[in-house]
Amino acid sequence: MKIPKRLQPLVDDGMVDAVLYQLMSGKEAQVYVVRCGDTIRCAKVFKEAQKRSFKQAVEYQEGRKVRNSRRARAMSKKTRYGQKEQENAWLNAEVDALYRLASAGVRVPEPQGFVDGVLLMELVADAEGKAAPRLDDVTLTPEVAREYHAKVIADVVRMLDAGLIHGDLSEFNVLVDAEGPVIIDLPQAVNASGNNNAERMLERDVDNMRRYFGRFAPELLNTDYGKEIWALYEAGDLHAETRLTGCFEHNTESANVDELLAVIDAAKEEESERLERMRGDEDDD
C-alpha cells in the first residue's frame, strides 16, 4: 500500500521496510501492519491532539509526574510550550506503560520503539499468524469465558500492583491470541496513587469485563471484584499473586442523621465566628 505520510520517516530511517495494510482506525490512532526486516509488527500512529475524539485527557493525566520542573510549570500554565509538552507526555504515556506492565508480567504487546508519534510494537497474532481478533469479535463457551475473565482480572491486579489502572478497559481493547487475552490501548493509563478518579476507573474497568464475560457465563454477573481489589489495594494487602474471591461486603449501616446534622451545625457556627472575627478586625482598622 501507499506509505502514509507519518510512517515515511521510519521507512527512510530503515526502521520499517514495508507498510502492508491498515489494521484499524480509532479515536486516538491509526494502526498499520508493517514489515521490519523478517518480522511483522504493528505501527500505531497517534492522531494529533486536535484530531483526536478522546476528550477526557485531563481527567486521566491527573497524578502523572513530570521530572523536569520547567516543563511542569509550563504545562500547568497551559502556555504554547506547555501544551506541546502536555501532548508529548500524553503520547509517551502508552510507551512507558507498556514497558512497565510487560516487566510486571501483564500480557500487553511488547513495545519496539517510539519515534515522532509512532509506536512500533509486537503484532499480537492468532494461531495462524494473522492479527488477533478483538474480544468483542469472538464467541466464547462458558468455560472459556470464565478462564479469560480470570486472566484479565489477574492482569488488572498486576497492573494495580505496578501502580497503574487501564482507565478505558473494555472488550474493544482486549485482543485474543492463542494463549488468551492481551490488553492494548494504554495512552490514558491512570496513576493509581495520584489520581482522584482512580477508584472509580478501576471499578469501571472491572465492571466492563464482568458485563462482557457475563454474557457467556452469567454467574460472573454476581461478582464484585472491583471493590474487592480496591479495598485490598487501599489496605496495602494487594499483590500480584493475591487470591481473590469476587465477593465484597458492602457497608449497610444507616447513616446517623443526627450526628451528621450536628457536624454541619458545628461547621456553620465555626464559619460564623470566623466571619465575625474578620468584621471585628476590619472595625479595628
Side-chain angles (χ1 to χ4, degrees):
M1 65 172 289
K2 181 180 178 181
I3 299 173
K5 181 178 179 181
R6 296 279 300 282
L7 289 178
Q8 189 63 55
L10 280 74
V11 174
D12 294 341
D13 291 343
M15 297 181 68
V16 170
D17 293 299
V19 180
L20 304 182
Y21 58 92
Q22 181 174 314
L23 183 60
M24 60 83 69
S25 179
K27 57 191 176 185
E28 299 167 1
Q30 294 172 310
V31 180
Y32 298 88
V33 175
V34 300
R35 181 171 57 80
C36 305
D38 296 327
T39 305
I40 304 300
R41 291 177 177 156
C42 276
K44 184 172 185 177
V45 181
F46 288 95
K47 294 180 180 179
E48 296 175 357
Q50 63 271 25
K51 296 180 181 179
R52 289 200 306 261
S53 60
F54 198 87
K55 301 297 185 183
Q56 297 172 296
V58 174
E59 180 182 22
Y60 288 85
Q61 289 173 338
E62 180 185 345
R64 290 183 181 175
K65 294 180 175 60
V66 179
R67 293 193 183 100
N68 186 296
S69 58
R70 176 172 175 251
R71 290 176 181 171
R73 288 194 300 272
M75 288 163 66
S76 66
K77 294 179 181 178
K78 300 188 183 300
T79 63
R80 182 175 298 179
Y81 170 74
Q83 290 175 338
K84 180 180 178 181
E85 289 302 314
Q86 189 79 58
E87 179 68 4
N88 288 336
W90 174 264
L91 294 177
N92 278 281
E94 179 157 21
V95 186
D96 295 340
L98 286 175
Y99 279 110
R100 188 169 172 181
L101 296 178
S103 65
V106 180
R107 294 205 74 213
V108 294
E110 181 182 353
Q112 304 293 331
F114 182 62
V115 180
D116 295 332
V118 179
L119 171 60
L120 275 179
M121 57 185 171
E122 167 195 8
L123 172 67
V124 179
D126 61 16
E128 298 177 356
K130 298 178 182 178
R134 296 185 308 184
L135 190 57
D136 183 57
D137 294 327
V138 301
T139 300
L140 307 173
T141 64
E143 293 75 19
V144 172
R146 286 190 287 269
E147 176 191 348
Y148 284 5
H149 178 264
K151 288 183 175 181
V152 170
I153 293 301
D155 271 347
V156 168
V157 170
R158 292 188 187 99
M159 290 176 70
L160 188 53
D161 190 47
L164 294 176
I165 295 168
H166 188 287
D168 194 33
L169 188 61
S170 74
E171 61 270 29
F172 301 105
N173 43 39
V174 176
L175 301 180
V176 181
D177 69 3
E179 298 178 21
V182 180
I183 294 174
I184 62 171
D185 292 342
L186 288 147
Q188 73 294 315
V190 172
N191 181 318
S193 63
N195 191 305
N196 290 321
N197 302 294
E199 178 180 2
R200 176 176 59 81
M201 290 182 179
L202 173 82
E203 291 184 13
R204 185 178 63 194
D205 283 354
V206 173
D207 288 348
N208 284 344
M209 293 293 91
R210 176 182 63 188
R211 283 191 291 270
Y212 175 78
F213 288 111
R215 299 179 195 171
F216 308 100
E219 68 274 16
L220 293 175
L221 296 173
N222 297 320
T223 61
D224 202 350
Y225 284 99
K227 290 190 182 300
E228 180 186 12
I229 290 169
W230 188 260
L232 290 168
Y233 173 73
E234 279 195 317
D237 295 328
L238 186 73
H239 307 288
E241 304 306 321
T242 298
R243 297 178 69 89
L244 302 174
T245 65
C247 300
F248 181 79
E249 186 173 341
H250 294 262
N251 186 355
T252 57
E253 293 182 9
S254 299
N256 187 323
V257 177
D258 291 339
E259 182 177 328
L260 180 59
L261 290 174
V263 171
I264 293 173
D265 288 341
K268 287 181 177 178
E269 184 177 350
E270 183 178 339
E271 177 64 9
S272 178
E273 291 175 353
R274 185 184 71 83
L275 293 174
E276 188 65 32
R277 286 195 301 270
M278 288 177 62
R279 283 194 291 268
D281 290 342
E282 291 174 357
D283 293 341
D284 291 341
D285 292 339

